[in-house]
Amino acid sequence: MKRFISFVKKEFFHIFRDVRTLTILFGMPIIQIILFGFSITNEIRNADIAILDKSKDTATRQITDKLLASGYFRLNSILQSESQIEQAFKKGEIKLAVIFEQDFQHNLLKNGSSNLQLIADATDPNTASTLTNYVSAIVQDYQLSQARNKAGIIQVQPDLRMLYNPELEGTYMFVPGLITVILLLIGAMMTSITIAREKESGTMELLLVSPLRPAVIILGKSIPYIVLALINAATILIIGATVFGMPLEGNLGLLVAEIFLYIVLSLSLGILISTIAETQQTALLFSLMGLMLPTIILSGFIFPIESMPEILQWISNVIPAKWFIIIIRNVMLKGTGFASVAFETAVLAGMTLLLLGLSIVKFNVRLSQS
């Protein structure tokens, strides 16, 4: 028994001396419970909306105030004409546009009913449905309060219109997200594991002492995965179009160029991970915990970023998938050109250059130590 207790103590000391094991044991559960607890929710808060008020009377102001006081919506802009609506959606500035008809209050008092048009960005059908339901519930509450005060029945008729996805097809949301996740899997995870395997087997040391420059080694290891990732992206797009009816409203050349940029970014991440990880298991752990979970949770693929705490919204800005999903949805569903996704493209290009630079520096350091 004494030997057994001593053996258990030895195992405890062994675990406590290993900082990486302690981090995984105690750090990961805390990070996961915070991440999942705050981000996995169907409730949407602070969604950006635009108001087009053609009546500008007391009733429209009261309804607008109730919408903004609910916490579900945040006023992005006051529109002056209907021609501004499409542009606001294509720039990704708003999720919903609320349009009050002319003489809204007059019609409400004289005829007992008025019309309210809601136009939602349905590239994310779940968010669009939720937001329109929020507005309908708030308008219904306004009707009840007015009926109680004036002992009369009034009715506001919401007219719903879903842009870019009128049938609210869930495929339109999942195909861009799946492309994002699969390209990251092939680019980052496979590259990091492959290079880590070579380091384990010792073949990487032979490459490092060869006449080849580090940049050439990185390029040579990246090209096969770039080709494979492009083939996978083409396969997903063809299946999405032929089997699920996924449209491509924008320019195919622009879409391919953006996919190529994202693949290079994913490969850069994989190469950087491989320069840090010494074993395949470590590379797999980094890829899964450091890339896969944030990509699924913090990219806006499934859960709306607007509803997350502010600190998670800031963290989401360093997740490449967030910017790529915005690009791919804009090009495929909204049919926008490069000007509408120029900022997101610049962010991805900047991340790619930074990661490639860090990878080359790490390879140079390793070469100087060998």
Side-chain angles (χ1 to χ4, degrees), residues 285-322:
L285 188 64
F286 268 121
S287 301
L288 279 176
M289 305 305 291
L291 297 179
M292 283 294 295
L293 286 179
T295 296
I296 293 174
I297 296 172
L298 297 177
S299 65
F301 168 28
I302 299 175
F303 307 106
I305 294 174
E306 295 83 359
S307 62
M308 298 177 188
E310 195 168 348
I311 186 169
L312 290 184
Q313 293 185 36
W314 278 101
I315 293 174
S316 71
N317 289 326
V318 299
I319 306 296
K322 170 191 172 179

Side-chain angles (χ1 to χ4, degrees), residues 62-95:
Q62 287 175 338
I63 294 176
T64 300
D65 290 343
K66 285 180 76 70
L67 291 175
L68 300 181
S70 68
Y72 298 130
F73 305 105
R74 182 171 55 197
L75 182 62
N76 179 277
S77 55
I78 300 290
L79 304 178
Q80 303 302 322
S81 67
E82 293 189 2
S83 61
Q84 296 177 300
I85 296 175
E86 183 82 11
Q87 197 62 27
F89 277 114
K90 286 195 172 181
K91 288 181 179 176
E93 295 174 346
I94 58 172
K95 298 287 186 184

